[in-house]
Amino acid sequence: MRNASPVTEFFLLGIPHTEDLEAMLFVLFLSFYIFTLMGNLLILLAIVSSTRLHTPMYFFLCKLSVCDMFFPSVSSPKMLFYLSGNSRVISYAGCMSQLFFYHFLGCTECFLYTVMAYDRFVAIRYPLRYRIIMSHRVCAILAIGTSFFGCIQATFLTTLTFQLPYCGPNEVDYYFCDIPVMLKLACADTSALEMVGFISVGLMPLSCFLLILTSYSLIVCSILQIRSTEGRRRAFSTCSAHLTAILLSFMPVVLIYLQPTPNPWLNANVQVLNNLVTPMLNPLIYSLRNKEVKYSLRKVLQQVAFLPEK
């Protein structure tokens, strides 16, 4: 029989099958984390400092960069803390916070990619009315809406997970608190909740993906009608960067949450890709294929390099 006393803290076991690799993983993940923060911060500075980039597309890209800085910060600091030889214990409230903010930021990004696809559709399909349709007010409502619905989804999933009793083993077979591993520790039948969570986690990204697919189908039709070769090239270049980022963001969700039989080792590795590598690559994806961003980044780096000494 399981102990009836409620669990007040959990013990993070870390990434499965990585024993004796703590020092190497610490250096590797710390490098990823630093590059993620620096890359997204540079994108923010480049957009804010250039008036030419004060458009709806770059406004949403700014929000994506902010999310990409906070998203790995949900799990990385604690992971780096215990990889450096410190305690693996996390409090009940800390575990709940990790799960909430992970899904809040993840869902916000999912909705944000959908909004960005709509923005590209309007820009290419209705170029003359673009600034009217995507006004400052509309952009603000869409940006707030992504966070609002992300918060609702995260609150639902967190409540669903932590309304269960936890009174037995407290060892989390993962490197942070997430729904699949937490349900295994619950002292109750979780089959119904697993099905509800599966539908909820699967339905939201699927709905966003279908909306994005619809937007890009209409975008392709519009691009093919552009007579200018240079215009078609620029449109495809912008959209291909967005599509690359979408695939990198959505594929881990499918692999982790929609597989019939969870594989802890595969899930952990895919999750690391989703938490650290994708946010690190997003600045490269959006800057390397965009001349305006590259020009603004060059100016920011030059200003930083030639700052006068105090």
Side-chain angles (χ1 to χ4, degrees):
M1 260 182 91
R2 292 188 175 186
N3 188 354
S5 60
V7 171
T8 58
E9 60 185 23
F10 294 96
F11 188 84
L12 300 172
L13 296 179
I15 301 173
H17 313 301
T18 57
E19 294 79 7
D20 303 321
L21 297 174
E22 284 84 0
M24 185 189 73
L25 291 176
F26 175 80
V27 174
L28 181 65
F29 293 155
L30 180 62
S31 303
F32 283 162
Y33 187 47
I34 290 171
F35 281 124
T36 297
L37 296 180
M38 288 179 61
N40 284 288
L41 184 61
L42 283 173
I43 289 288
L44 275 174
L45 290 173
I47 293 172
V48 171
S49 64
S50 175
T51 53
R52 293 193 307 170
L53 300 182
H54 292 177
T55 63
M57 182 179 82
Y58 294 109
F59 169 71
F60 294 126
L61 183 55
C62 267
K63 179 161 186 182
L64 181 65
S65 291
V66 171
C67 288
D68 278 343
M69 284 193 287
F70 282 107
F71 189 57
S73 300
V74 172
S75 58
S76 297
K78 180 62 181 178
M79 179 175 63
L80 293 170
F81 183 74
Y82 69 68
L83 284 176
S84 61
N86 293 291
S87 173
R88 292 172 177 263
V89 173
I90 183 169
S91 67
Y92 186 93
C95 192
M96 188 185 295
S97 298
Q98 270 196 344
L99 194 146
F100 172 80
F101 283 107
Y102 174 78
H103 286 279
F104 167 60
L105 291 165
C107 292
T108 298
E109 283 202 13
C110 188
F111 292 129
L112 189 58
Y113 282 125
T114 309
V115 168
M116 291 172 76
Y118 172 72
D119 170 71
R120 289 300 82 211
F121 162 70
V122 174
I124 293 169
R125 190 70 179 265
Y126 306 107
L128 299 179
R129 295 169 52 200
Y130 175 60
R131 289 300 183 98
I132 298 171
I133 297 172
M134 299 300 291
S135 62
H136 293 301
R137 182 171 174 272
V138 170
C139 289
I141 291 171
L142 290 172
I144 293 169
T146 59
S147 296
F148 176 73
F149 288 110
C151 184
I152 289 175
Q153 175 80 348
T155 301
F156 171 71
L157 293 173
T158 306
T159 305
L160 190 73
T161 304
F162 285 94
Q163 56 91 24
L164 293 166
Y166 290 92
C167 53
N170 67 339
E171 293 185 340
V172 178
D173 191 18
Y174 216 42
Y175 68 95
F176 78 104
C177 299
D178 198 10
I179 296 170
V181 288
M182 295 308 298
L183 291 180
K184 291 179 181 178
L185 301 178
C187 305
D189 180 25
T190 61
S191 54
L193 291 175
E194 282 175 11
M195 182 57 65
V196 173
F198 179 84
I199 293 170
S200 177
V201 173
L203 192 60
M204 187 275 296
L206 180 62
S207 302
C208 290
F209 186 75
L210 290 175
L211 288 171
I212 291 168
L213 193 63
T214 302
S215 293
Y216 273 95
S217 299
L218 295 171
I219 285 170
V220 169
C221 293
S222 299
I223 289 174
L224 294 175
Q225 293 174 10
I226 298 174
R227 295 180 181 180
S228 164
T229 305
E230 177 62 20
R232 283 199 300 268
R233 189 195 65 78
R234 287 188 63 185
F236 271 122
S237 177
T238 303
C239 293
S240 63
H242 186 203
L243 281 172
T244 304
I246 288 168
L247 288 173
L248 284 172
S249 179
F250 277 77
M251 286 306 294
V253 175
V254 174
L255 289 171
I256 294 166
Y257 297 105
L258 301 183
Q259 55 179 311
T261 307
N263 183 324
W265 183 83
L266 175 65
N267 285 0
N269 284 279
V270 173
Q271 199 74 274
V272 168
L273 172 70
N274 191 39
N275 287 11
L276 282 170
V277 180
T278 301
M280 181 182 70
L281 292 178
N282 274 347
L284 294 174
I285 292 168
Y286 282 102
S287 62
L288 291 178
R289 301 184 65 88
N290 192 307
K291 290 181 180 179
E292 292 176 329
V293 174
K294 281 195 287 187
Y295 175 76
S296 184
L297 270 174
R298 197 177 298 116
K299 284 185 66 177
V300 168
L301 291 172
Q302 286 173 349
Q303 288 172 2
V304 171
F306 295 103
L307 278 176
E309 293 184 8
K310 292 183 180 181

mmCIF file of all heavy atoms in Angstrom, residues 131-161:
data_model
loop_
_atom_site.group_PDB
_atom_site.id
_atom_site.type_symbol
_atom_site.label_atom_id
_atom_site.label_comp_id
_atom_site.label_asym_id
_atom_site.label_seq_id
_atom_site.Cartn_x
_atom_site.Cartn_y
_atom_site.Cartn_z
ATOM 1 N N ARG A 131 -1.889 47.644 -43.752
ATOM 2 C CA ARG A 131 -1.731 48.490 -42.561
ATOM 3 C C ARG A 131 -3.077 48.831 -41.919
ATOM 4 O O ARG A 131 -3.139 49.087 -40.715
ATOM 5 C CB ARG A 131 -0.979 49.769 -42.929
ATOM 6 C CG ARG A 131 0.505 49.578 -43.258
ATOM 7 C CD ARG A 131 1.233 48.980 -42.074
ATOM 8 N NE ARG A 131 2.648 48.842 -42.311
ATOM 9 C CZ ARG A 131 3.571 49.711 -41.882
ATOM 10 N NH1 ARG A 131 3.197 50.779 -41.209
ATOM 11 N NH2 ARG A 131 4.837 49.508 -42.136
ATOM 12 N N ILE A 132 -4.134 48.852 -42.729
ATOM 13 C CA ILE A 132 -5.472 49.155 -42.193
ATOM 14 C C ILE A 132 -6.023 47.934 -41.449
ATOM 15 O O ILE A 132 -6.540 48.045 -40.338
ATOM 16 C CB ILE A 132 -6.439 49.568 -43.334
ATOM 17 C CG1 ILE A 132 -5.933 50.836 -44.026
ATOM 18 C CG2 ILE A 132 -7.851 49.781 -42.787
ATOM 19 C CD1 ILE A 132 -6.686 51.182 -45.279
ATOM 20 N N ILE A 133 -5.889 46.758 -42.097
ATOM 21 C CA ILE A 133 -6.395 45.528 -41.473
ATOM 22 C C ILE A 133 -5.592 45.201 -40.211
ATOM 23 O O ILE A 133 -6.159 44.920 -39.154
ATOM 24 C CB ILE A 133 -6.346 44.348 -42.465
ATOM 25 C CG1 ILE A 133 -7.261 44.615 -43.665
ATOM 26 C CG2 ILE A 133 -6.746 43.037 -41.775
ATOM 27 C CD1 ILE A 133 -7.129 43.598 -44.788
ATOM 28 N N MET A 134 -4.270 45.240 -40.322
ATOM 29 C CA MET A 134 -3.396 44.925 -39.181
ATOM 30 C C MET A 134 -2.984 46.211 -38.482
ATOM 31 O O MET A 134 -1.803 46.562 -38.401
ATOM 32 C CB MET A 134 -2.169 44.138 -39.663
ATOM 33 C CG MET A 134 -2.492 42.813 -40.307
ATOM 34 S SD MET A 134 -3.363 41.654 -39.216
ATOM 35 C CE MET A 134 -2.078 41.276 -38.039
ATOM 36 N N SER A 135 -3.958 46.917 -37.958
ATOM 37 C CA SER A 135 -3.697 48.175 -37.250
ATOM 38 C C SER A 135 -3.040 47.893 -35.901
ATOM 39 O O SER A 135 -2.972 46.734 -35.455
ATOM 40 C CB SER A 135 -5.008 48.935 -37.033
ATOM 41 O OG SER A 135 -5.888 48.174 -36.218
ATOM 42 N N HIS A 136 -2.577 48.955 -35.234
ATOM 43 C CA HIS A 136 -1.949 48.797 -33.913
ATOM 44 C C HIS A 136 -2.918 48.150 -32.929
ATOM 45 O O HIS A 136 -2.526 47.305 -32.108
ATOM 46 C CB HIS A 136 -1.484 50.155 -33.374
ATOM 47 C CG HIS A 136 -0.364 50.758 -34.148
ATOM 48 N ND1 HIS A 136 0.849 50.123 -34.312
ATOM 49 C CD2 HIS A 136 -0.264 51.930 -34.827
ATOM 50 C CE1 HIS A 136 1.653 50.879 -35.044
ATOM 51 N NE2 HIS A 136 0.993 51.984 -35.369
ATOM 52 N N ARG A 137 -4.179 48.549 -33.010
ATOM 53 C CA ARG A 137 -5.192 48.010 -32.094
ATOM 54 C C ARG A 137 -5.400 46.514 -32.331
ATOM 55 O O ARG A 137 -5.458 45.721 -31.386
ATOM 56 C CB ARG A 137 -6.500 48.774 -32.296
ATOM 57 C CG ARG A 137 -7.625 48.341 -31.359
ATOM 58 C CD ARG A 137 -8.806 49.286 -31.481
ATOM 59 N NE ARG A 137 -9.942 48.816 -30.693
ATOM 60 C CZ ARG A 137 -10.871 47.977 -31.135
ATOM 61 N NH1 ARG A 137 -10.809 47.523 -32.389
ATOM 62 N NH2 ARG A 137 -11.869 47.593 -30.364
ATOM 63 N N VAL A 138 -5.507 46.119 -33.606
ATOM 64 C CA VAL A 138 -5.707 44.711 -33.950
ATOM 65 C C VAL A 138 -4.503 43.880 -33.506
ATOM 66 O O VAL A 138 -4.659 42.794 -32.932
ATOM 67 C CB VAL A 138 -5.953 44.540 -35.461
ATOM 68 C CG1 VAL A 138 -5.913 43.074 -35.872
ATOM 69 C CG2 VAL A 138 -7.290 45.151 -35.856
ATOM 70 N N CYS A 139 -3.311 44.391 -33.748
ATOM 71 C CA CYS A 139 -2.089 43.670 -33.349
ATOM 72 C C CYS A 139 -2.026 43.479 -31.832
ATOM 73 O O CYS A 139 -1.654 42.410 -31.344
ATOM 74 C CB CYS A 139 -0.848 44.422 -33.833
ATOM 75 S SG CYS A 139 -0.597 44.358 -35.612
ATOM 76 N N ALA A 140 -2.393 44.543 -31.092
ATOM 77 C CA ALA A 140 -2.374 44.451 -29.631
ATOM 78 C C ALA A 140 -3.393 43.416 -29.137
ATOM 79 O O ALA A 140 -3.091 42.611 -28.244
ATOM 80 C CB ALA A 140 -2.681 45.816 -29.018
ATOM 81 N N ILE A 141 -4.593 43.416 -29.738
ATOM 82 C CA ILE A 141 -5.630 42.453 -29.346
ATOM 83 C C ILE A 141 -5.174 41.025 -29.637
ATOM 84 O O ILE A 141 -5.335 40.117 -28.805
ATOM 85 C CB ILE A 141 -6.962 42.761 -30.080
ATOM 86 C CG1 ILE A 141 -7.565 44.063 -29.557
ATOM 87 C CG2 ILE A 141 -7.949 41.607 -29.913
ATOM 88 C CD1 ILE A 141 -8.741 44.558 -30.362
ATOM 89 N N LEU A 142 -4.583 40.812 -30.821
ATOM 90 C CA LEU A 142 -4.110 39.474 -31.187
ATOM 91 C C LEU A 142 -2.981 39.014 -30.268
ATOM 92 O O LEU A 142 -2.939 37.848 -29.844
ATOM 93 C CB LEU A 142 -3.644 39.463 -32.650
ATOM 94 C CG LEU A 142 -4.739 39.587 -33.713
ATOM 95 C CD1 LEU A 142 -4.119 39.761 -35.101
ATOM 96 C CD2 LEU A 142 -5.647 38.362 -33.695
ATOM 97 N N ALA A 143 -2.055 39.929 -29.939
ATOM 98 C CA ALA A 143 -0.924 39.572 -29.070
ATOM 99 C C ALA A 143 -1.408 39.226 -27.661
ATOM 100 O O ALA A 143 -0.962 38.234 -27.065
ATOM 101 C CB ALA A 143 0.075 40.723 -29.014
ATOM 102 N N ILE A 144 -2.330 40.042 -27.127
ATOM 103 C CA ILE A 144 -2.885 39.765 -25.792
ATOM 104 C C ILE A 144 -3.702 38.474 -25.819
ATOM 105 O O ILE A 144 -3.663 37.664 -24.886
ATOM 106 C CB ILE A 144 -3.753 40.955 -25.313
ATOM 107 C CG1 ILE A 144 -2.872 42.183 -25.080
ATOM 108 C CG2 ILE A 144 -4.508 40.589 -24.037
ATOM 109 C CD1 ILE A 144 -3.645 43.469 -24.872
ATOM 110 N N GLY A 145 -4.424 38.264 -26.923
ATOM 111 C CA GLY A 145 -5.249 37.061 -27.060
ATOM 112 C C GLY A 145 -4.438 35.781 -27.015
ATOM 113 O O GLY A 145 -4.874 34.778 -26.418
ATOM 114 N N THR A 146 -3.246 35.790 -27.617
ATOM 115 C CA THR A 146 -2.402 34.585 -27.590
ATOM 116 C C THR A 146 -2.024 34.214 -26.164
ATOM 117 O O THR A 146 -2.054 33.038 -25.780
ATOM 118 C CB THR A 146 -1.122 34.774 -28.433
ATOM 119 O OG1 THR A 146 -0.376 35.888 -27.925
ATOM 120 C CG2 THR A 146 -1.451 35.021 -29.894
ATOM 121 N N SER A 147 -1.688 35.235 -25.353
ATOM 122 C CA SER A 147 -1.329 34.973 -23.956
ATOM 123 C C SER A 147 -2.547 34.590 -23.126
ATOM 124 O O SER A 147 -2.468 33.717 -22.251
ATOM 125 C CB SER A 147 -0.664 36.207 -23.334
ATOM 126 O OG SER A 147 0.559 36.487 -23.973
ATOM 127 N N PHE A 148 -3.688 35.224 -23.407
ATOM 128 C CA PHE A 148 -4.908 34.945 -22.648
ATOM 129 C C PHE A 148 -5.354 33.494 -22.837
ATOM 130 O O PHE A 148 -5.612 32.773 -21.863
ATOM 131 C CB PHE A 148 -6.019 35.906 -23.096
ATOM 132 C CG PHE A 148 -7.357 35.642 -22.446
ATOM 133 C CD1 PHE A 148 -7.567 35.955 -21.114
ATOM 134 C CD2 PHE A 148 -8.391 35.067 -23.170
ATOM 135 C CE1 PHE A 148 -8.799 35.703 -20.504
ATOM 136 C CE2 PHE A 148 -9.612 34.803 -22.574
ATOM 137 C CZ PHE A 148 -9.822 35.129 -21.239
ATOM 138 N N PHE A 149 -5.424 33.048 -24.094
ATOM 139 C CA PHE A 149 -5.860 31.673 -24.356
ATOM 140 C C PHE A 149 -4.793 30.658 -23.939
ATOM 141 O O PHE A 149 -5.118 29.536 -23.547
ATOM 142 C CB PHE A 149 -6.236 31.506 -25.821
ATOM 143 C CG PHE A 149 -7.528 32.193 -26.185
ATOM 144 C CD1 PHE A 149 -7.528 33.318 -26.988
ATOM 145 C CD2 PHE A 149 -8.735 31.731 -25.691
ATOM 146 C CE1 PHE A 149 -8.717 33.967 -27.308
ATOM 147 C CE2 PHE A 149 -9.929 32.364 -26.006
ATOM 148 C CZ PHE A 149 -9.922 33.493 -26.811
ATOM 149 N N GLY A 150 -3.519 31.066 -24.021
ATOM 150 C CA GLY A 150 -2.450 30.207 -23.511
ATOM 151 C C GLY A 150 -2.576 30.011 -22.013
ATOM 152 O O GLY A 150 -2.361 28.902 -21.501
ATOM 153 N N CYS A 151 -2.968 31.074 -21.298
ATOM 154 C CA CYS A 151 -3.148 30.999 -19.848
ATOM 155 C C CYS A 151 -4.335 30.100 -19.493
ATOM 156 O O CYS A 151 -4.255 29.304 -18.535
ATOM 157 C CB CYS A 151 -3.368 32.412 -19.291
ATOM 158 S SG CYS A 151 -3.500 32.478 -17.500
ATOM 159 N N ILE A 152 -5.420 30.201 -20.247
ATOM 160 C CA ILE A 152 -6.595 29.353 -20.002
ATOM 161 C C ILE A 152 -6.239 27.878 -20.182
ATOM 162 O O ILE A 152 -6.572 27.021 -19.351
ATOM 163 C CB ILE A 152 -7.757 29.747 -20.943
ATOM 164 C CG1 ILE A 152 -8.326 31.100 -20.540
ATOM 165 C CG2 ILE A 152 -8.856 28.686 -20.923
ATOM 166 C CD1 ILE A 152 -9.387 31.631 -21.470
ATOM 167 N N GLN A 153 -5.539 27.567 -21.286
ATOM 168 C CA GLN A 153 -5.150 26.178 -21.553
ATOM 169 C C GLN A 153 -4.222 25.645 -20.470
ATOM 170 O O GLN A 153 -4.390 24.511 -19.985
ATOM 171 C CB GLN A 153 -4.471 26.101 -22.932
ATOM 172 C CG GLN A 153 -3.910 24.740 -23.301
ATOM 173 C CD GLN A 153 -4.956 23.774 -23.800
ATOM 174 O OE1 GLN A 153 -6.142 24.026 -23.677
ATOM 175 N NE2 GLN A 153 -4.513 22.657 -24.365
ATOM 176 N N ALA A 154 -3.239 26.459 -20.075
ATOM 177 C CA ALA A 154 -2.277 26.036 -19.057
ATOM 178 C C ALA A 154 -2.944 25.857 -17.696
ATOM 179 O O ALA A 154 -2.626 24.917 -16.952
ATOM 180 C CB ALA A 154 -1.144 27.053 -18.950
ATOM 181 N N THR A 155 -3.874 26.744 -17.366
ATOM 182 C CA THR A 155 -4.604 26.629 -16.092
ATOM 183 C C THR A 155 -5.421 25.349 -16.061
ATOM 184 O O THR A 155 -5.450 24.633 -15.042
ATOM 185 C CB THR A 155 -5.533 27.848 -15.898
ATOM 186 O OG1 THR A 155 -4.751 29.044 -15.916
ATOM 187 C CG2 THR A 155 -6.286 27.757 -14.573
ATOM 188 N N PHE A 156 -6.074 25.038 -17.173
ATOM 189 C CA PHE A 156 -6.876 23.812 -17.257
ATOM 190 C C PHE A 156 -6.004 22.569 -17.073
ATOM 191 O O PHE A 156 -6.330 21.673 -16.290
ATOM 192 C CB PHE A 156 -7.596 23.763 -18.610
ATOM 193 C CG PHE A 156 -8.274 22.450 -18.896
ATOM 194 C CD1 PHE A 156 -9.412 22.074 -18.199
ATOM 195 C CD2 PHE A 156 -7.762 21.584 -19.856
ATOM 196 C CE1 PHE A 156 -10.037 20.853 -18.453
ATOM 197 C CE2 PHE A 156 -8.381 20.368 -20.122
ATOM 198 C CZ PHE A 156 -9.522 20.006 -19.416
ATOM 199 N N LEU A 157 -4.876 22.515 -17.773
ATOM 200 C CA LEU A 157 -4.001 21.336 -17.702
ATOM 201 C C LEU A 157 -3.345 21.200 -16.331
ATOM 202 O O LEU A 157 -3.191 20.085 -15.816
ATOM 203 C CB LEU A 157 -2.933 21.425 -18.795
ATOM 204 C CG LEU A 157 -3.431 21.324 -20.244
ATOM 205 C CD1 LEU A 157 -2.303 21.605 -21.225
ATOM 206 C CD2 LEU A 157 -4.029 19.946 -20.511
ATOM 207 N N THR A 158 -2.955 22.334 -15.734
ATOM 208 C CA THR A 158 -2.334 22.295 -14.403
ATOM 209 C C THR A 158 -3.340 21.847 -13.345
ATOM 210 O O THR A 158 -3.030 21.019 -12.480
ATOM 211 C CB THR A 158 -1.764 23.684 -14.035
ATOM 212 O OG1 THR A 158 -0.881 24.121 -15.072
ATOM 213 C CG2 THR A 158 -1.002 23.633 -12.720
ATOM 214 N N THR A 159 -4.558 22.392 -13.413
ATOM 215 C CA THR A 159 -5.612 22.000 -12.473
ATOM 216 C C THR A 159 -5.949 20.521 -12.636
ATOM 217 O O THR A 159 -6.123 19.791 -11.647
ATOM 218 C CB THR A 159 -6.875 22.853 -12.703
ATOM 219 O OG1 THR A 159 -6.537 24.234 -12.609
ATOM 220 C CG2 THR A 159 -7.957 22.522 -11.683
ATOM 221 N N LEU A 160 -6.014 20.086 -13.883
ATOM 222 C CA LEU A 160 -6.318 18.686 -14.188
ATOM 223 C C LEU A 160 -5.276 17.758 -13.561
ATOM 224 O O LEU A 160 -5.610 16.696 -13.019
ATOM 225 C CB LEU A 160 -6.336 18.486 -15.707
ATOM 226 C CG LEU A 160 -6.863 17.167 -16.263
ATOM 227 C CD1 LEU A 160 -8.373 17.105 -16.133
ATOM 228 C CD2 LEU A 160 -6.464 17.015 -17.731
ATOM 229 N N THR A 161 -4.024 18.156 -13.621
ATOM 230 C CA THR A 161 -2.926 17.317 -13.123
ATOM 231 C C THR A 161 -2.820 17.345 -11.601
ATOM 232 O O THR A 161 -2.662 16.300 -10.958
ATOM 233 C CB THR A 161 -1.590 17.786 -13.743
ATOM 234 O OG1 THR A 161 -1.694 17.775 -15.166
ATOM 235 C CG2 THR A 161 -0.444 16.882 -13.323
#
